[in-house]
Amino acid sequence: MDRLSNTVRPYAWGSITAIPELLGVAPTGEPQAEMWMGAHPGAPSLLTRTTAAGEAGPEQPLTEVIAADPERELGRATVEKFGPRLPFLLKLLAAGAPLSLQVHPDLAQAKRGYEDEERRSVPIDAPHRTYKDANHKPELICALTPFAGLCGFRPPAEAAEAMAALGVDSLKPYVDLLGAHPEEAALREVLTAILGADPAETAETVHLVAAAAERLGGAHAPYARIAHHFPGDPGVIAAMLLNYVELQPGEALFLGAGVPHAYLDGLGVEIMANSDNVLRCGLTPKHIDVPELLRIVRFEATEPGILRPEASPSGEELYETPVDEFRLSRFDLSPGAAPVDLTRDTPQILLCTGGAPRAGELDLAPGTSVFVPSGERAEASGTGTLFRATVVA
């Protein structure tokens, strides 16, 4: 079991205070958006492993530790199923402003798109490159504080009602489209029209939407806040097509392929398949690949599907998802209770989010984490909350 040193990403949308408050350190004054835990090549966690002589070895990236002996670190079943890499990335995510409105491909779409761009020799770092790898990117966000987001299309009639209530004349064509077609066609045509509209006209519409949403307040207030951060962006209009969701601490959302979503505000634990494939729909200055986006999005109204953990006799509270690349669960440890056996034949990352629990011989504090190689004996004790990230192999 190895204590991890993790990188905090300073994306512009990040909260200035949320992650420092969890870690118990002073804010730097800069946004601190995500703390990455895992073996993503862009910012792998670092660890120091004790040598056979009992001395501290050199600090190493987790990527290199795994590459040196994948079966020892990940277990044979994990390597056979996912290859010689950690298949998930765990994060602390702290949104102080809305993230981009986005969607992720399924595995077949990712492979096709990646192979196509490779064949056309599109540079991997090109701003217009859509597929960074050949993997899908399902993800789960679990709230540590009240957490707001957008998730999936709401019924077209509800979206039409929300738009009509604003009294903005330039929204009327979208309102008419939402009421004139079957659900899938209505959502497709409206999103296509929003993303293809004249930028100057869109900017004026968004300005009027922001003013009307601020005046009405209530259910419209989130769109005023979004427009404040993204004046003139078509994603402000597209956001009104989606379900607005507020999670309470401990609640979670699973985001599968093709589901448009955006996180707006709050601190949470996020886990995802280890991929960088994101197709953006708005609320961003980055490239929007509209034709590919329209092939990937699932144009169907869905309930957000808030997840609550399912408890087991061992005390593990599991967030059930339909994917194998990650498995997220939580342990609330009580003083005086017997240690909890966490040993598994799969790799694990343990993250403390409260209290002062122990993982093996290591004392943890909020925001600290450890890597547990496959098959290594591990137990948790003390008082506090631990999240466990692993795989289904």
Side-chain angles (χ1 to χ4, degrees):
M1 178 180 305
D2 307 287
R3 191 183 300 275
L4 296 177
S5 174
N6 305 302
T7 297
V8 175
R9 310 289 269 188
Y11 304 134
W13 50 262
S15 167
I16 293 174
T17 59
I19 289 178
E21 285 178 359
L22 182 70
L23 298 176
V25 299
T28 64
E30 299 296 322
Q32 298 191 34
E34 296 179 347
M35 186 172 78
W36 288 17
M37 292 158 280
H40 190 288
S45 298
L46 303 176
L47 59 85
T48 301
R49 183 163 287 177
T50 303
T51 67
E55 300 176 350
E59 190 173 57
Q60 304 174 77
L62 184 55
T63 44
E64 295 181 6
V65 172
I66 291 172
D69 195 344
E71 284 199 9
R72 178 181 183 276
E73 304 298 335
L74 305 178
R76 177 174 296 180
T78 299
V79 172
E80 289 178 350
K81 191 168 187 176
F82 302 108
R85 62 187 181 87
L86 190 67
F88 65 83
L89 177 63
L90 184 66
K91 300 179 180 180
L92 280 172
L93 183 147
L99 283 68
S100 63
L101 188 60
Q102 59 188 254
V103 69
H104 305 304
D106 64 26
L107 191 55
Q109 292 164 340
K111 288 180 177 178
R112 174 195 56 76
Y114 180 76
E115 290 170 359
D116 174 66
E117 291 187 310
E118 287 289 282
R119 186 170 55 252
R120 293 189 285 115
S121 299
V122 180
I124 198 71
D125 58 352
H128 62 284
R129 174 91 187 213
T130 299
Y131 292 95
K132 307 296 186 183
D133 52 67
N135 200 15
H136 63 163
K137 193 184 178 185
E139 61 188 40
L140 175 81
I141 184 76
C142 177
L144 295 179
T145 67
F147 194 98
L150 304 170
C151 178
F153 289 110
R154 55 179 168 177
E158 290 185 13
E161 182 180 1
M163 288 184 179
L166 293 170
V168 175
D169 289 343
S170 50
L171 289 179
K172 190 174 187 304
Y174 305 137
V175 173
D176 292 342
L177 283 173
L178 286 167
H181 298 280
E183 176 180 288
E184 180 179 349
L187 293 170
R188 179 182 293 275
E189 289 195 30
V190 171
L191 185 60
T192 302
I194 291 170
L195 296 178
D198 177 79
E201 294 177 1
T202 296
E204 176 61 20
T205 297
V206 171
H207 173 73
L208 296 172
V209 164
E214 187 170 2
R215 183 178 65 253
L216 290 174
H220 289 85
Y223 309 115
R225 294 198 299 270
I226 293 170
H228 171 74
H229 291 284
F230 295 96
D233 193 297
V236 177
I237 304 172
M240 288 189 281
L241 301 175
L242 307 185
N243 296 295
Y244 175 74
V245 184
E246 290 185 343
L247 301 177
Q248 296 306 308
E251 296 180 333
L253 282 176
F254 172 73
L255 289 311
V259 178
H261 61 278
Y263 302 144
L264 304 180
D265 183 72
L267 176 67
V269 174
E270 185 183 39
I271 190 168
M272 61 185 63
N274 212 344
S275 169
D276 290 322
N277 286 326
V278 175
L279 287 92
R280 294 175 176 85
C281 319
L283 309 183
T284 179
K286 295 183 179 180
H287 175 65
I288 298 178
D289 184 346
V290 175
E292 187 66 10
L293 174 69
L294 296 175
R295 282 192 286 269
I296 298 302
V297 171
R298 294 184 178 177
F299 290 98
E300 58 184 13
T302 57
E303 290 290 330
I306 295 175
L307 297 177
R308 296 173 180 85
E310 298 183 11
S312 70
S314 68
E316 181 181 31
E317 298 181 326
L318 175 65
Y319 293 91
E320 290 278 5
T321 69
V323 298
D324 291 346
E325 283 86 351
F326 60 77
R327 179 184 186 275
L328 186 71
S329 59
R330 186 183 71 188
F331 295 85
D332 287 320
L333 304 170
S334 302
V340 178
D341 185 6
L342 302 179
T343 309
R344 286 180 63 93
D345 292 328
T346 54
Q348 304 180 67
I349 292 178
L350 307 177
L351 167 66
C352 173
T353 60
R358 288 175 62 83
E361 300 300 317
L362 299 177
D363 293 318
L364 301 182
T368 59
S369 57
V370 298
F371 174 71
V372 185
S374 169
E376 182 173 305
R377 176 161 177 75
E379 64 179 26
S381 59
T383 305
T385 301
L386 276 182
F387 279 83
R388 170 161 71 177
T390 185
V391 304
V392 180

